[in-house]
Amino acid sequence: MPVPSPIDDLDIASQRQKRWTPRVRTGCYTCRTRRIKCDEAQPTCKRCRIRGLKCDYPLRPQHRPQEKLSLSVPQPPEWAFAEALRYYLTVILQPRTGETPKISPEEHMKNYRPDMHISRQESIPSFVMLVINTHITHISQSNSVRKVPGSWPAINHLWRLFFDYMAKAIQHLNRCIAAKFPPRYNLFRIVDLLSIELDMIDSTFWQAHCRGFLALVEVYGGVDAVIKSAENPSPVLALQHGLINNTASPVDDQISEFDNFKEEEILRIYCDMYFRVFPCPSCLFLAIVRITRLRVLAATLGSAPELLSVAKQISDEVYEFMPDRWTETYKLPSDPKIYTFARVFKATTILYALLSLPQTLAQPFSRTEFTNGRDPRLHYRDVLATAIKKASIVQFGMAGMCWPLAVLGVSFYDGTPDEQAGVISWLKGLEKLPTVASGPVTLQQMLPEFWASGKCGWEDCFYKLSQVAA
């Protein structure tokens, strides 16, 4: 509650003032910052309409503009947390227009592992940072503005508050590591920062957070010890993003710390996954990791006979996978349309091998007996495009389709302008989804440059370690 200021004994009739309350509490934010009365007309108030100003109103879904975070007056330390908690409870947890009411956390846990983005409130700096990031996302999406600092001056104050709390979250994490807090707690704090950096356009700090995460996992005794140190959800779920982002990078710019992970450990991590984050069958996910490792080995060893034998083994396992018989150790949603995702990722895995491996090692993935003499790349490109079209109408949406679209985009290096425009259209649609990070925006920048270059190699497109996982 706001604390009233003392009443001046010499002027008892003077009006009481609230210490932490701005003088103007009603109207659009544009009028509030100018300290003038607003008639609160929607969608544009009279004063902004007369002066030709952009009426910054409303700024929050289902909320009046006076509830907007404001830095126009000093705020007590607890103010930002109270505002973040109120926004979390009244906006983030509420269903959006047209959505069905969200189920209880208990019911949610029966079907999936909970999402890592905003799931815990153990650290006030991390919680406030995550909520402000979500608030900025909501504002940007509702006003069709790309979520980058400075893109809309009206929310610059939110960006300043966001970066302030990001710095506080990093300081808090460093103090906790130095104080030898439990592994589970410290790893979750890195996950908080990692989820933010994956969401930031053109950020490269996610790589540092990922490497720091892996270093702590090793310090804490490895994957098995970390999983046992925390009840579900496990913090190691964040590693699937790093493994996928390694695919979109040259062989000399990988997060090499993943090399220390055994395949059994990767499967154990991945099989505890949250389904909506990356709906890829676990056996295909492991094949993707193997193909990436094969690319790195081929860069130093060439097309050695041993590597060709490994390529054949991976190819056999991928082709033996039957999408309509997909099963996992975790519970899959009951909707039979989820098998569409299995078809998407089987085609994506094969196409990734054809595009990224040297020709000799890619040969086992051609399977010309199934392609009727066509170029295997063109065949599986068509298969993947058709599968993504079907996935776009599935209840779970396109949220997990960013990496398949990255592979499809590279395969269209000789595609028609309409085909390439179709990929960009899908990516623009992905960009608007609330659960998707910066991957679609990154691909909208990289793919057109690659197509215009006239080149056709995988690393001609992904010439640096890129965030395309989500």
Side-chain angles (χ1 to χ4, degrees):
M1 293 291 293
V3 179
S5 62
I7 299 177
D8 191 340
D9 294 336
L10 299 178
D11 187 7
I12 300 177
S14 63
Q15 185 180 3
R16 297 179 63 190
Q17 299 290 327
K18 294 182 179 180
R19 181 175 300 175
W20 304 113
T21 304
R23 288 173 57 192
V24 181
R25 292 181 60 84
T26 59
C28 72
Y29 186 64
T30 306
C31 290
R32 290 171 58 196
T33 56
R34 295 163 64 89
R35 303 276 179 122
I36 59 178
K37 186 170 180 59
C38 178
D39 65 350
E40 299 185 306
Q42 296 187 34
T44 304
C45 73
K46 183 177 179 180
R47 291 185 180 272
C48 289
R49 186 167 61 250
I50 292 175
R51 289 169 173 78
L53 300 175
K54 185 169 185 177
C55 190
D56 195 4
Y57 173 84
L59 289 177
R60 290 186 180 181
Q62 306 175 2
H63 281 266
R64 293 170 61 86
Q66 61 265 28
E67 296 175 335
K68 182 179 185 297
L69 295 175
S70 173
L71 297 181
S72 59
V73 294
Q75 306 294 347
E78 302 83 3
W79 179 86
F81 175 68
E83 281 291 289
L85 185 60
R86 181 169 64 88
Y87 189 80
Y88 179 71
L89 295 173
T90 60
V91 177
I92 295 176
L93 291 185
Q94 300 304 313
R96 295 190 175 190
T97 303
E99 288 183 347
T100 56
K102 296 181 179 179
I103 62 176
S104 66
E106 292 76 15
E107 288 297 320
H108 185 74
M109 281 292 291
K110 292 179 181 179
N111 294 283
Y112 308 109
R113 306 299 184 187
D115 198 343
M116 301 306 304
H117 184 55
I118 300 177
S119 61
R120 315 193 72 83
Q121 300 180 30
E122 298 173 331
S123 165
I124 289 179
S126 293
F127 177 74
V128 175
M129 171 189 68
L130 290 165
V131 172
I132 295 174
N133 177 67
T134 304
H135 183 35
I136 293 174
T137 301
H138 288 170
I139 294 173
S140 301
Q141 289 177 346
S142 62
N143 291 275
S144 301
V145 177
R146 183 155 283 175
K147 201 187 81 172
V148 292
S151 62
W152 191 12
I155 59 173
N156 282 348
H157 65 291
L158 285 180
W159 281 109
R160 289 192 295 269
L161 191 63
F162 165 74
F163 286 118
D164 179 46
Y165 272 89
M166 176 181 280
K168 291 179 181 179
I170 294 173
Q171 293 170 358
H172 176 73
L173 169 63
N174 290 334
R175 287 195 296 266
C176 291
I177 293 175
K180 297 183 179 180
F181 270 46
R184 169 195 164 281
Y185 184 88
N186 292 337
L187 291 173
F188 269 127
R189 301 292 73 78
I190 299 181
V191 170
D192 293 337
L193 292 164
L194 180 60
S195 67
I196 288 293
E197 294 295 348
L198 289 172
D199 198 40
M200 297 287 289
I201 299 171
D202 294 331
S203 172
T204 58
F205 290 109
W206 67 268
Q207 303 169 24
H209 293 314
C210 192
R211 289 189 168 97
F213 187 101
L214 294 171
L216 278 182
V217 169
E218 185 174 354
V219 168
Y220 293 147
V223 171
D224 188 64
V226 168
I227 290 178
K228 291 179 179 178
S229 72
E231 296 180 358
N232 288 324
S234 171
V236 293
L237 297 181
L239 297 186
Q240 58 185 287
H241 294 290
L243 288 164
I244 286 298
N245 286 332
N246 261 353
T247 67
S249 66
V251 294
D252 57 354
D253 190 15
Q254 301 265 312
I255 300 179
S256 57
E257 288 81 356
F258 281 118
D259 295 341
N260 299 326
F261 282 69
K262 299 177 181 178
E263 292 184 354
E264 295 79 10
E265 293 175 325
I266 293 174
L267 273 181
R268 183 172 183 188
I269 293 169
Y270 191 74
C271 287
D272 281 337
M273 67 175 286
Y274 176 64
F275 177 78
R276 297 189 188 189
V277 173
F278 195 72
C280 175
S282 57
C283 63
L284 295 180
F285 182 84
L286 188 58
I288 293 167
V289 174
R290 288 172 173 170
I291 292 169
T292 303
R293 290 178 170 178
L294 193 60
R295 285 175 52 213
V296 177
L297 289 173
T300 55
L301 301 178
S303 300
E306 295 81 5
L307 297 186
L308 182 58
S309 175
V310 172
K312 290 179 179 178
Q313 180 183 1
I314 299 172
S315 172
D316 290 341
E317 293 176 358
V318 172
Y319 275 97
E320 287 172 2
F321 172 74
M322 296 289 103
D324 294 336
R325 300 177 184 176
W326 178 20
T327 59
E328 294 288 353
T329 56
Y330 58 87
K331 182 180 178 181
L332 291 172
S334 57
D335 189 342
K337 294 179 182 177
I338 64 157
Y339 298 109
T340 300
F341 291 120
R343 298 185 190 96
V344 167
F345 280 95
K346 179 174 181 178
T348 306
T349 304
I350 295 172
L351 196 55
Y352 169 54
L354 293 172
L355 293 168
S356 65
L357 292 175
Q359 185 175 2
T360 304
L361 298 181
Q363 188 61 37
F365 293 88
S366 298
R367 298 292 174 106
T368 54
E369 65 270 25
F370 296 121
T371 60
N372 298 321
R374 282 190 74 193
D375 183 337
R377 173 181 63 88
L378 299 180
H379 172 78
Y380 288 106
R381 184 177 76 180
D382 293 344
V383 171
L384 178 56
T386 301
I388 291 178
K389 287 179 182 178
K390 293 180 179 179
S392 65
I393 61 175
V394 175
Q395 177 185 356
F396 305 105
M398 292 282 288
M401 295 294 103
C402 193
W403 186 71
L405 285 172
V407 177
L408 183 63
V410 175
S411 72
F412 275 125
Y413 64 80
D414 58 350
T416 66
D418 287 344
E419 290 172 329
Q420 295 172 351
V423 175
I424 298 299
S425 177
W426 271 326
L427 292 171
K428 288 181 178 179
L430 276 180
E431 184 183 351
K432 299 176 182 178
L433 297 179
T435 57
V436 174
S438 63
V441 178
T442 300
L443 289 172
Q444 288 177 62
Q445 297 169 349
M446 299 186 73
L447 288 176
E449 294 176 1
F450 170 65
W451 294 331
S453 70
K455 298 178 181 179
C456 61
W458 181 262
E459 295 187 12
D460 293 325
C461 181
F462 301 113
Y463 54 87
K464 61 181 179 179
L465 185 58
S466 305
Q467 199 301 89
V468 300

